[in-house]
Amino acid sequence: MEQALSLAGLALGQVSPNPAVGAVIVKDGEVVGQGYTQPPGSAHAEVVALEQAGSAALGSTMYVTLEPCCHQGRTPPCTAAIVSAGIAEVHMAMLDPNPLVSGRGEEELRKHGMSTFVGDHEEESRQINEAYIKYITTNIPFVTAKFAMSLDGKIATRSGDSKWISNPESRRYVHSLRHISDAIIVGVNTVLADNPQLTCRCGERGGVIREQPLRVIADAKGRTPVTAQIFGVPGRALIALGEGVEPGIIEGYKNVNAEVVVLPSNEGLVDIGQLLKQLGQREITSVLVEGGGTLLGYMFDYGLVDKVVAFVAPVIIGGSEAETAVRGRGVEKIAEAVRLERVTVTECNGDVMVTGYVGGQ
């Protein structure tokens, strides 16, 4: 199963809105077939492994990180292929929470005389498909809040200078986060201050870049300049505007090939809850929120964050006017603070990366 999980990891960032799945087929103690989910419309992990195994699949054991599908989607059901190949046993890390499957795949295999086992390395499988699990059960994307800050919680100096607080190793990791995300969201203040590209540049390390993540700007008043880099690099851009933005401004964004959505405003900001719902309707399963402090503060205030990835650099910036990582209303009492669970701490060549899940998520 560990090998199947490693294979599943290779599919991350390539197969959304499908889950990232790995499968390994073993016979007489030897691996005879293995594979991972291919891009939407192509073969699922089980089918890739079965094709590699060929006739050796008869009487073998399959290890798969997610319950095989049993319904007709873009591709035929994997359970039919497994039954046809004559697999004897199927070990599943977890059942598929998709309402179209949700135990029916295992039932189908049992009905055809196979032995099935569920739960081996389930937690690891859930982590790989955390975005898929939330999306398929709620139609809302999984939201990761990412920020880099100084030891005293600042993301820029009082003059607005922010390059670079984190070190190159941390910034390279951020590109891997972008690689596995369907969309990246920033607020208009981040665009005005940093003029980011918001592209995934994993290829600089020899990696494979899929289609660039959708770049999303939350801009209630239409202050983003049409000359911003975000509109001039490969990939798609979407700008979420508040109601009342002048038609001429909207037309300007369309002229630079940006998609425009108009949403209600809340506390002077675009209603991010409504934005996430719209992204879910577009089969966006995962969102990486890269700031700034106003946007992140809003999202924490309204309970819209599932996961946090924070880089803490060993520098002190100081200054009462320096920008903090998370603004918004905040909480009145420590007991009301957002607390992270399942926390991991990793050293990144001097920086410290803290990763955790918002309590109850």
Side-chain angles (χ1 to χ4, degrees), residues 27-281:
K27 188 171 186 179
D28 299 328
E30 294 186 4
V31 173
V32 295
Q34 58 184 343
Y36 56 89
T37 311
Q38 299 301 295
S42 303
H44 290 187
E46 300 93 322
V47 173
V48 174
L50 286 169
E51 290 177 348
Q52 188 178 111
S55 60
L58 182 64
S60 66
T61 299
M62 174 179 282
Y63 296 86
V64 61
T65 59
L66 187 71
E67 177 185 16
C69 65
C70 55
H71 64 286
Q72 176 71 47
R74 292 186 177 99
T75 59
C78 289
T79 50
I82 293 170
V83 169
S84 177
I87 297 285
E89 287 185 9
V90 179
H91 295 250
M92 296 161 265
M94 62 175 288
L95 296 180
D96 188 343
N98 185 341
L100 295 175
V101 187
S102 193
R104 295 182 181 88
E106 182 193 19
E107 182 181 348
E108 182 73 12
L109 298 177
R110 282 184 174 277
K111 187 172 70 176
H112 285 86
M114 284 178 221
S115 298
T116 61
F117 305 87
V118 180
D120 183 13
H121 288 73
E122 179 176 356
E123 186 56 39
E124 293 94 326
S125 179
R126 286 188 172 277
Q127 185 170 351
I128 288 173
N129 279 308
E130 58 193 12
Y132 166 78
I133 291 169
K134 181 186 178 185
Y135 169 76
I136 205 66
T137 54
T138 67
N139 293 317
I140 302 294
F142 184 88
V143 176
T144 299
K146 165 263 163 185
F147 50 89
M149 65 183 186
S150 64
L151 200 57
D152 56 338
K154 309 296 186 180
I155 61 173
T157 68
R158 65 176 183 269
S159 68
D161 182 37
S162 62
K163 294 183 179 179
W164 295 99
I165 291 176
S166 58
N167 65 35
E169 183 175 333
S170 297
R171 298 198 298 274
R172 283 194 294 269
Y173 187 82
V174 171
H175 283 285
S176 70
L177 292 176
R178 291 179 178 181
H179 176 68
I180 63 173
S181 300
D182 292 343
I184 304 168
I185 302 180
V186 294
V188 60
N189 291 332
T190 295
V191 177
L192 294 174
D194 298 336
N195 194 20
Q197 296 182 28
L198 298 185
T199 54
C200 171
R201 296 187 287 278
C202 294
E204 294 176 358
R205 293 184 294 159
V208 177
I209 299 178
R210 60 159 190 179
E211 179 183 350
Q212 290 286 347
L214 175 68
R215 300 183 295 277
V216 182
I217 308 169
D219 183 358
K221 298 181 180 178
R223 295 188 292 137
T224 302
V226 294
T227 55
Q229 287 194 102
I230 205 167
F231 300 127
V233 291
R236 298 170 297 144
L238 181 151
I239 185 162
L241 302 173
E243 296 168 335
V245 174
E246 295 180 4
I249 293 177
I250 294 176
E251 194 62 29
Y253 294 132
K254 292 180 178 179
N255 288 338
V256 292
N257 296 318
E259 185 176 356
V260 176
V261 295
V262 177
L263 298 171
S265 295
N266 186 6
E267 299 184 11
L269 299 171
V270 167
D271 188 327
I272 303 300
Q274 290 298 318
L275 175 58
L276 292 174
K277 287 181 180 179
Q278 288 215 10
L279 293 176
Q281 292 169 5

